[in-house]
Amino acid sequence: MLLVQVNCGSLDEAHQIAETLVAERLVAGANIISQAHSIYRWQGEVVSDPECVILVKTRDELFEGLTARIKELHSYQTPCIIGTPITAGDPAYLRWLEQETEA
């Protein structure tokens, strides 16, 4: 199981990506954090931008396809897509996550 972070430039984009990923069963659920601020280096410059963060829950074996789909939907040239292993969780929740990401 993975918790995947995806940063977006707008709330509308975050909603569209999250809804598509859930509808396509690539993720069980998504949480959108609407007011993040990111500071990063891009093309040699330090950039400071407001962003939204999507946190999605999925299975390890779906990560490659999930990444490809996010890149298709995303406006950024190189979106932040980071998967962190879920090492523990409520068994009932983890079963639900498994069920919701089955084809």
Side-chain angles (χ1 to χ4, degrees):
M1 308 285 184
L2 293 172
L3 177 66
V4 180
Q5 174 184 330
V6 181
N7 291 13
C8 296
S10 74
L11 189 56
D12 287 341
E13 181 176 45
H15 275 277
Q16 191 266 329
I17 290 172
E19 289 175 9
T20 299
L21 299 177
V22 171
E24 294 178 1
R25 298 180 87 79
L26 289 167
V27 304
N31 303 100
I32 298 173
I33 302 167
S34 62
Q35 293 187 6
H37 200 91
S38 296
I39 300 169
Y40 54 96
R41 184 176 300 279
W42 181 249
Q43 298 179 339
E45 301 287 326
V46 175
V47 181
S48 178
D49 284 322
E51 289 189 304
C52 298
V53 178
I54 311 171
L55 299 175
V56 298
K57 285 73 69 179
T58 192
R59 292 183 287 124
D60 297 22
E61 59 268 24
L62 296 177
F63 185 74
E64 187 175 321
L66 172 64
T67 298
R69 188 65 172 123
I70 292 168
K71 288 181 177 182
E72 290 173 359
L73 298 167
H74 211 291
S75 64
Y76 289 179
Q77 180 181 345
T78 307
C80 170
I81 306 170
I82 299 170
T84 303
I86 298 172
T87 59
D90 175 65
Y93 182 84
L94 297 178
R95 278 192 302 277
W96 170 82
L97 193 161
E98 283 275 342
Q99 292 168 351
E100 292 304 315
T101 54
E102 291 176 353

Short mmCIF file of all heavy atoms in Angstrom, two decimals, residues 2-57:
data_model
loop_
_atom_site.label_atom_id
_atom_site.label_comp_id
_atom_site.label_asym_id
_atom_site.label_seq_id
_atom_site.Cartn_x
_atom_site.Cartn_y
_atom_site.Cartn_z
N LEU A 2 0.38 2.28 -0.67
CA LEU A 2 1.12 3.53 -0.77
C LEU A 2 0.24 4.73 -0.47
O LEU A 2 -0.95 4.74 -0.82
CB LEU A 2 1.67 3.72 -2.18
CG LEU A 2 2.74 2.78 -2.69
CD1 LEU A 2 2.98 3.03 -4.18
CD2 LEU A 2 4.01 2.96 -1.91
N LEU A 3 0.84 5.73 0.13
CA LEU A 3 0.27 7.07 0.22
C LEU A 3 1.06 7.91 -0.77
O LEU A 3 2.28 8.00 -0.68
CB LEU A 3 0.42 7.63 1.64
CG LEU A 3 -0.08 9.04 1.85
CD1 LEU A 3 -1.59 9.12 1.67
CD2 LEU A 3 0.32 9.54 3.23
N VAL A 4 0.37 8.49 -1.75
CA VAL A 4 1.04 9.22 -2.82
C VAL A 4 0.67 10.69 -2.75
O VAL A 4 -0.51 11.04 -2.66
CB VAL A 4 0.67 8.64 -4.21
CG1 VAL A 4 1.37 9.41 -5.33
CG2 VAL A 4 1.02 7.15 -4.29
N GLN A 5 1.68 11.54 -2.78
CA GLN A 5 1.51 12.99 -2.78
C GLN A 5 1.62 13.51 -4.20
O GLN A 5 2.56 13.15 -4.93
CB GLN A 5 2.57 13.66 -1.92
CG GLN A 5 2.53 15.18 -1.98
CD GLN A 5 3.65 15.82 -1.18
OE1 GLN A 5 4.11 15.28 -0.19
NE2 GLN A 5 4.08 16.98 -1.63
N VAL A 6 0.68 14.38 -4.58
CA VAL A 6 0.71 15.04 -5.88
C VAL A 6 0.43 16.52 -5.63
O VAL A 6 -0.59 16.86 -5.03
CB VAL A 6 -0.38 14.46 -6.82
CG1 VAL A 6 -0.32 15.15 -8.18
CG2 VAL A 6 -0.24 12.96 -6.96
N ASN A 7 1.30 17.40 -6.08
CA ASN A 7 1.09 18.84 -5.94
C ASN A 7 0.48 19.39 -7.22
O ASN A 7 0.84 18.96 -8.32
CB ASN A 7 2.40 19.56 -5.64
CG ASN A 7 2.94 19.24 -4.27
OD1 ASN A 7 2.49 18.31 -3.61
ND2 ASN A 7 3.92 19.99 -3.84
N CYS A 8 -0.45 20.35 -7.07
CA CYS A 8 -1.13 20.97 -8.21
C CYS A 8 -1.11 22.49 -8.07
O CYS A 8 -1.08 23.01 -6.96
CB CYS A 8 -2.58 20.50 -8.29
SG CYS A 8 -2.77 18.75 -8.59
N GLY A 9 -1.23 23.16 -9.19
CA GLY A 9 -1.21 24.62 -9.19
C GLY A 9 -2.54 25.27 -8.88
O GLY A 9 -2.59 26.47 -8.61
N SER A 10 -3.64 24.50 -8.93
CA SER A 10 -4.95 25.08 -8.63
C SER A 10 -5.86 24.05 -7.99
O SER A 10 -5.68 22.84 -8.16
CB SER A 10 -5.60 25.61 -9.91
OG SER A 10 -6.08 24.54 -10.71
N LEU A 11 -6.86 24.55 -7.29
CA LEU A 11 -7.85 23.68 -6.66
C LEU A 11 -8.68 22.95 -7.71
O LEU A 11 -9.00 21.77 -7.55
CB LEU A 11 -8.73 24.50 -5.72
CG LEU A 11 -9.68 23.74 -4.81
CD1 LEU A 11 -8.94 22.72 -3.95
CD2 LEU A 11 -10.45 24.72 -3.94
N ASP A 12 -9.02 23.63 -8.79
CA ASP A 12 -9.78 22.99 -9.86
C ASP A 12 -9.02 21.81 -10.45
O ASP A 12 -9.60 20.74 -10.69
CB ASP A 12 -10.11 23.98 -10.98
CG ASP A 12 -11.19 24.98 -10.58
OD1 ASP A 12 -11.94 24.71 -9.62
OD2 ASP A 12 -11.29 26.03 -11.24
N GLU A 13 -7.73 22.00 -10.71
CA GLU A 13 -6.92 20.91 -11.25
C GLU A 13 -6.83 19.76 -10.25
O GLU A 13 -6.95 18.59 -10.63
CB GLU A 13 -5.51 21.40 -11.60
CG GLU A 13 -4.64 20.32 -12.19
CD GLU A 13 -3.28 20.81 -12.63
OE1 GLU A 13 -2.63 21.57 -11.87
OE2 GLU A 13 -2.87 20.42 -13.73
N ALA A 14 -6.65 20.07 -8.98
CA ALA A 14 -6.56 19.02 -7.96
C ALA A 14 -7.85 18.21 -7.91
O ALA A 14 -7.81 16.97 -7.86
CB ALA A 14 -6.27 19.65 -6.60
N HIS A 15 -9.00 18.87 -7.96
CA HIS A 15 -10.29 18.18 -7.95
C HIS A 15 -10.44 17.29 -9.18
O HIS A 15 -10.88 16.13 -9.07
CB HIS A 15 -11.46 19.17 -7.88
CG HIS A 15 -11.79 19.60 -6.49
ND1 HIS A 15 -12.59 18.86 -5.66
CD2 HIS A 15 -11.42 20.68 -5.79
CE1 HIS A 15 -12.70 19.48 -4.50
NE2 HIS A 15 -11.99 20.58 -4.55
N GLN A 16 -10.09 17.81 -10.33
CA GLN A 16 -10.24 17.05 -11.57
C GLN A 16 -9.37 15.81 -11.55
O GLN A 16 -9.82 14.71 -11.89
CB GLN A 16 -9.90 17.95 -12.77
CG GLN A 16 -10.26 17.36 -14.12
CD GLN A 16 -9.11 16.62 -14.77
OE1 GLN A 16 -7.94 16.96 -14.58
NE2 GLN A 16 -9.42 15.60 -15.54
N ILE A 17 -8.13 15.96 -11.12
CA ILE A 17 -7.22 14.80 -11.05
C ILE A 17 -7.72 13.80 -10.03
O ILE A 17 -7.80 12.60 -10.31
CB ILE A 17 -5.77 15.27 -10.74
CG1 ILE A 17 -5.19 16.02 -11.95
CG2 ILE A 17 -4.89 14.08 -10.36
CD1 ILE A 17 -3.86 16.69 -11.70
N ALA A 18 -8.06 14.26 -8.84
CA ALA A 18 -8.51 13.36 -7.78
C ALA A 18 -9.76 12.59 -8.19
O ALA A 18 -9.84 11.36 -8.00
CB ALA A 18 -8.76 14.14 -6.49
N GLU A 19 -10.74 13.28 -8.74
CA GLU A 19 -11.98 12.62 -9.14
C GLU A 19 -11.73 11.59 -10.23
O GLU A 19 -12.31 10.50 -10.21
CB GLU A 19 -13.00 13.66 -9.58
CG GLU A 19 -13.53 14.47 -8.41
CD GLU A 19 -14.47 15.60 -8.82
OE1 GLU A 19 -14.85 15.67 -10.00
OE2 GLU A 19 -14.80 16.41 -7.95
N THR A 20 -10.86 11.89 -11.18
CA THR A 20 -10.55 10.95 -12.25
C THR A 20 -9.86 9.70 -11.69
O THR A 20 -10.22 8.57 -12.05
CB THR A 20 -9.64 11.61 -13.31
OG1 THR A 20 -10.34 12.73 -13.88
CG2 THR A 20 -9.26 10.64 -14.41
N LEU A 21 -8.91 9.89 -10.80
CA LEU A 21 -8.17 8.75 -10.25
C LEU A 21 -9.08 7.83 -9.44
O LEU A 21 -8.94 6.60 -9.50
CB LEU A 21 -7.00 9.24 -9.40
CG LEU A 21 -5.94 10.07 -10.12
CD1 LEU A 21 -4.88 10.54 -9.14
CD2 LEU A 21 -5.32 9.30 -11.28
N VAL A 22 -10.01 8.42 -8.67
CA VAL A 22 -10.96 7.60 -7.91
C VAL A 22 -11.92 6.89 -8.86
O VAL A 22 -12.16 5.69 -8.72
CB VAL A 22 -11.71 8.45 -6.86
CG1 VAL A 22 -12.84 7.64 -6.22
CG2 VAL A 22 -10.76 8.96 -5.79
N ALA A 23 -12.46 7.60 -9.83
CA ALA A 23 -13.41 7.02 -10.78
C ALA A 23 -12.78 5.85 -11.55
O ALA A 23 -13.44 4.85 -11.82
CB ALA A 23 -13.92 8.08 -11.74
N GLU A 24 -11.50 5.97 -11.87
CA GLU A 24 -10.81 4.93 -12.63
C GLU A 24 -10.23 3.83 -11.73
O GLU A 24 -9.54 2.95 -12.22
CB GLU A 24 -9.71 5.57 -13.49
CG GLU A 24 -10.29 6.47 -14.57
CD GLU A 24 -9.26 7.16 -15.42
OE1 GLU A 24 -8.04 6.96 -15.23
OE2 GLU A 24 -9.68 7.92 -16.33
N ARG A 25 -10.49 3.92 -10.43
CA ARG A 25 -10.07 2.92 -9.44
C ARG A 25 -8.55 2.77 -9.35
O ARG A 25 -8.05 1.76 -8.90
CB ARG A 25 -10.73 1.57 -9.71
CG ARG A 25 -12.25 1.64 -9.60
CD ARG A 25 -12.93 0.33 -9.86
NE ARG A 25 -13.06 -0.51 -8.69
CZ ARG A 25 -13.97 -0.39 -7.74
NH1 ARG A 25 -14.80 0.62 -7.77
NH2 ARG A 25 -14.03 -1.23 -6.74
N LEU A 26 -7.82 3.82 -9.74
CA LEU A 26 -6.37 3.82 -9.55
C LEU A 26 -6.03 4.12 -8.10
O LEU A 26 -4.94 3.78 -7.63
CB LEU A 26 -5.70 4.84 -10.46
CG LEU A 26 -5.70 4.46 -11.94
CD1 LEU A 26 -5.31 5.65 -12.80
CD2 LEU A 26 -4.77 3.28 -12.18
N VAL A 27 -6.95 4.78 -7.40
CA VAL A 27 -6.78 5.09 -5.99
C VAL A 27 -8.11 4.82 -5.28
O VAL A 27 -9.18 4.88 -5.90
CB VAL A 27 -6.34 6.55 -5.74
CG1 VAL A 27 -5.05 6.87 -6.50
CG2 VAL A 27 -7.43 7.55 -6.09
N ALA A 28 -8.03 4.52 -3.98
CA ALA A 28 -9.24 4.28 -3.20
C ALA A 28 -9.88 5.60 -2.78
O ALA A 28 -11.10 5.71 -2.70
CB ALA A 28 -8.93 3.44 -1.98
N GLY A 29 -9.07 6.59 -2.49
CA GLY A 29 -9.58 7.87 -2.04
C GLY A 29 -8.51 8.94 -2.15
O GLY A 29 -7.33 8.63 -2.33
N ALA A 30 -8.95 10.18 -2.07
CA ALA A 30 -8.04 11.32 -2.19
C ALA A 30 -8.42 12.39 -1.18
O ALA A 30 -9.60 12.62 -0.92
CB ALA A 30 -8.09 11.89 -3.60
N ASN A 31 -7.42 13.02 -0.63
CA ASN A 31 -7.60 14.18 0.24
C ASN A 31 -6.92 15.36 -0.43
O ASN A 31 -5.78 15.23 -0.88
CB ASN A 31 -6.96 13.96 1.61
CG ASN A 31 -7.50 12.74 2.30
OD1 ASN A 31 -6.85 11.70 2.27
ND2 ASN A 31 -8.66 12.83 2.88
N ILE A 32 -7.61 16.49 -0.49
CA ILE A 32 -7.03 17.69 -1.09
C ILE A 32 -6.79 18.71 0.00
O ILE A 32 -7.70 19.08 0.73
CB ILE A 32 -7.96 18.26 -2.18
CG1 ILE A 32 -8.14 17.25 -3.31
CG2 ILE A 32 -7.40 19.59 -2.71
CD1 ILE A 32 -9.17 17.65 -4.35
N ILE A 33 -5.55 19.13 0.10
CA ILE A 33 -5.15 20.20 1.02
C ILE A 33 -5.03 21.45 0.16
O ILE A 33 -4.13 21.54 -0.68
CB ILE A 33 -3.83 19.86 1.74
CG1 ILE A 33 -3.99 18.53 2.49
CG2 ILE A 33 -3.42 20.99 2.67
CD1 ILE A 33 -2.68 17.94 2.97
N SER A 34 -5.94 22.39 0.35
CA SER A 34 -6.09 23.47 -0.61
C SER A 34 -5.12 24.64 -0.45
O SER A 34 -4.98 25.43 -1.37
CB SER A 34 -7.52 23.99 -0.59
OG SER A 34 -7.83 24.53 0.68
N GLN A 35 -4.47 24.77 0.68
CA GLN A 35 -3.62 25.95 0.87
C GLN A 35 -2.21 25.57 1.31
O GLN A 35 -1.85 25.72 2.46
CB GLN A 35 -4.26 26.89 1.88
CG GLN A 35 -5.55 27.48 1.36
CD GLN A 35 -6.10 28.54 2.29
OE1 GLN A 35 -5.47 28.92 3.26
NE2 GLN A 35 -7.27 29.03 1.98
N ALA A 36 -1.44 25.09 0.36
CA ALA A 36 -0.03 24.81 0.62
C ALA A 36 0.80 25.89 -0.09
O ALA A 36 0.32 26.55 -1.01
CB ALA A 36 0.35 23.43 0.08
N HIS A 37 2.00 26.08 0.35
CA HIS A 37 2.90 27.01 -0.32
C HIS A 37 4.21 26.28 -0.54
O HIS A 37 4.80 25.75 0.40
CB HIS A 37 3.12 28.27 0.52
CG HIS A 37 3.63 29.39 -0.31
ND1 HIS A 37 2.78 30.30 -0.91
CD2 HIS A 37 4.87 29.73 -0.68
CE1 HIS A 37 3.50 31.15 -1.61
NE2 HIS A 37 4.78 30.83 -1.48
N SER A 38 4.66 26.24 -1.78
CA SER A 38 5.85 25.48 -2.14
C SER A 38 6.99 26.41 -2.54
O SER A 38 6.78 27.39 -3.25
CB SER A 38 5.55 24.53 -3.30
OG SER A 38 4.59 23.57 -2.90
N ILE A 39 8.17 26.08 -2.06
CA ILE A 39 9.39 26.79 -2.44
C ILE A 39 10.33 25.74 -3.00
O ILE A 39 10.61 24.73 -2.35
CB ILE A 39 10.01 27.51 -1.23
CG1 ILE A 39 9.01 28.51 -0.66
CG2 ILE A 39 11.32 28.19 -1.63
CD1 ILE A 39 9.41 29.09 0.68
N TYR A 40 10.79 25.95 -4.22
CA TYR A 40 11.60 24.95 -4.90
C TYR A 40 12.47 25.62 -5.96
O TYR A 40 12.26 26.77 -6.33
CB TYR A 40 10.70 23.88 -5.54
CG TYR A 40 9.64 24.45 -6.47
CD1 TYR A 40 9.86 24.52 -7.84
CD2 TYR A 40 8.44 24.94 -5.96
CE1 TYR A 40 8.90 25.05 -8.68
CE2 TYR A 40 7.47 25.47 -6.79
CZ TYR A 40 7.71 25.52 -8.16
OH TYR A 40 6.76 26.06 -8.99
N ARG A 41 13.45 24.88 -6.42
CA ARG A 41 14.31 25.36 -7.49
C ARG A 41 13.79 24.78 -8.80
O ARG A 41 13.57 23.58 -8.92
CB ARG A 41 15.76 24.93 -7.26
CG ARG A 41 16.73 25.48 -8.31
CD ARG A 41 18.17 25.09 -7.99
NE ARG A 41 18.58 25.61 -6.71
CZ ARG A 41 19.01 26.86 -6.47
NH1 ARG A 41 19.07 27.72 -7.46
NH2 ARG A 41 19.37 27.23 -5.27
N TRP A 42 13.57 25.65 -9.79
CA TRP A 42 13.10 25.21 -11.09
C TRP A 42 13.82 26.01 -12.17
O TRP A 42 13.80 27.23 -12.16
CB TRP A 42 11.58 25.40 -11.21
CG TRP A 42 11.03 24.95 -12.53
CD1 TRP A 42 10.51 25.73 -13.53
CD2 TRP A 42 10.94 23.60 -13.00
NE1 TRP A 42 10.10 24.96 -14.58
CE2 TRP A 42 10.36 23.65 -14.28
CE3 TRP A 42 11.30 22.37 -12.47
CZ2 TRP A 42 10.14 22.49 -15.04
CZ3 TRP A 42 11.08 21.23 -13.21
CH2 TRP A 42 10.49 21.30 -14.48
N GLN A 43 14.49 25.30 -13.06
CA GLN A 43 15.23 25.90 -14.16
C GLN A 43 16.19 26.98 -13.69
O GLN A 43 16.28 28.06 -14.25
CB GLN A 43 14.27 26.42 -15.23
CG GLN A 43 13.43 25.30 -15.82
CD GLN A 43 12.43 25.77 -16.87
OE1 GLN A 43 12.06 26.96 -16.91
NE2 GLN A 43 11.98 24.85 -17.69
N GLY A 44 16.90 26.67 -12.60
CA GLY A 44 17.94 27.55 -12.08
C GLY A 44 17.46 28.68 -11.19
O GLY A 44 18.26 29.46 -10.70
N GLU A 45 16.16 28.79 -10.98
CA GLU A 45 15.60 29.86 -10.17
C GLU A 45 14.91 29.28 -8.93
O GLU A 45 14.33 28.20 -8.99
CB GLU A 45 14.55 30.65 -10.97
CG GLU A 45 15.07 31.28 -12.24
CD GLU A 45 15.95 32.49 -11.98
OE1 GLU A 45 15.70 33.22 -11.00
OE2 GLU A 45 16.90 32.70 -12.76
N VAL A 46 14.95 30.03 -7.82
CA VAL A 46 14.16 29.65 -6.64
C VAL A 46 12.77 30.25 -6.84
O VAL A 46 12.62 31.45 -7.08
CB VAL A 46 14.80 30.17 -5.34
CG1 VAL A 46 13.91 29.88 -4.15
CG2 VAL A 46 16.18 29.53 -5.14
N VAL A 47 11.77 29.38 -6.77
CA VAL A 47 10.39 29.75 -7.04
C VAL A 47 9.57 29.56 -5.77
O VAL A 47 9.79 28.63 -5.01
CB VAL A 47 9.81 28.87 -8.18
CG1 VAL A 47 8.38 29.24 -8.49
CG2 VAL A 47 10.68 28.96 -9.43
N SER A 48 8.61 30.44 -5.56
CA SER A 48 7.70 30.35 -4.41
C SER A 48 6.28 30.49 -4.96
O SER A 48 5.93 31.53 -5.51
CB SER A 48 8.02 31.47 -3.43
OG SER A 48 7.14 31.45 -2.34
N ASP A 49 5.50 29.41 -4.82
CA ASP A 49 4.16 29.39 -5.42
C ASP A 49 3.13 28.79 -4.47
O ASP A 49 3.43 27.85 -3.73
CB ASP A 49 4.14 28.50 -6.68
CG ASP A 49 4.78 29.15 -7.88
OD1 ASP A 49 4.61 30.37 -8.06
OD2 ASP A 49 5.45 28.42 -8.65
N PRO A 50 1.88 29.29 -4.54
CA PRO A 50 0.80 28.59 -3.83
C PRO A 50 0.46 27.32 -4.61
O PRO A 50 0.49 27.31 -5.85
CB PRO A 50 -0.36 29.60 -3.89
CG PRO A 50 -0.07 30.46 -5.07
CD PRO A 50 1.42 30.50 -5.22
N GLU A 51 0.18 26.26 -3.91
CA GLU A 51 -0.20 25.00 -4.54
C GLU A 51 -1.25 24.31 -3.68
O GLU A 51 -1.49 24.68 -2.54
CB GLU A 51 1.01 24.05 -4.68
CG GLU A 51 2.01 24.48 -5.72
CD GLU A 51 3.05 23.42 -5.99
OE1 GLU A 51 3.73 22.98 -5.03
OE2 GLU A 51 3.20 23.04 -7.15
N CYS A 52 -1.86 23.29 -4.26
CA CYS A 52 -2.73 22.36 -3.55
C CYS A 52 -2.00 21.03 -3.51
O CYS A 52 -1.24 20.71 -4.42
CB CYS A 52 -4.05 22.18 -4.29
SG CYS A 52 -4.99 23.69 -4.44
N VAL A 53 -2.25 20.26 -2.48
CA VAL A 53 -1.63 18.94 -2.35
C VAL A 53 -2.74 17.90 -2.35
O VAL A 53 -3.72 18.03 -1.61
CB VAL A 53 -0.80 18.83 -1.05
CG1 VAL A 53 -0.20 17.44 -0.90
CG2 VAL A 53 0.29 19.90 -1.03
N ILE A 54 -2.58 16.88 -3.18
CA ILE A 54 -3.49 15.75 -3.16
C ILE A 54 -2.75 14.59 -2.51
O ILE A 54 -1.61 14.29 -2.87
CB ILE A 54 -3.91 15.31 -4.58
CG1 ILE A 54 -4.37 16.47 -5.43
CG2 ILE A 54 -4.99 14.22 -4.49
CD1 ILE A 54 -4.57 16.10 -6.89
N LEU A 55 -3.39 13.94 -1.55
CA LEU A 55 -2.87 12.72 -0.95
C LEU A 55 -3.81 11.60 -1.37
O LEU A 55 -5.00 11.66 -1.09
CB LEU A 55 -2.82 12.83 0.57
CG LEU A 55 -1.92 13.93 1.13
CD1 LEU A 55 -2.07 14.01 2.64
CD2 LEU A 55 -0.47 13.71 0.73
N VAL A 56 -3.28 10.60 -2.07
CA VAL A 56 -4.10 9.48 -2.53
C VAL A 56 -3.57 8.18 -1.95
O VAL A 56 -2.38 8.06 -1.65
CB VAL A 56 -4.18 9.40 -4.08
CG1 VAL A 56 -4.82 10.64 -4.65
CG2 VAL A 56 -2.81 9.18 -4.70
N LYS A 57 -4.48 7.23 -1.78
CA LYS A 57 -4.12 5.92 -1.24
C LYS A 57 -4.34 4.88 -2.32
O LYS A 57 -5.39 4.85 -2.97
CB LYS A 57 -4.97 5.58 -0.01
CG LYS A 57 -4.59 6.32 1.26
CD LYS A 57 -4.98 7.76 1.29
CE LYS A 57 -6.47 7.99 1.37
NZ LYS A 57 -6.88 9.38 1.44
#
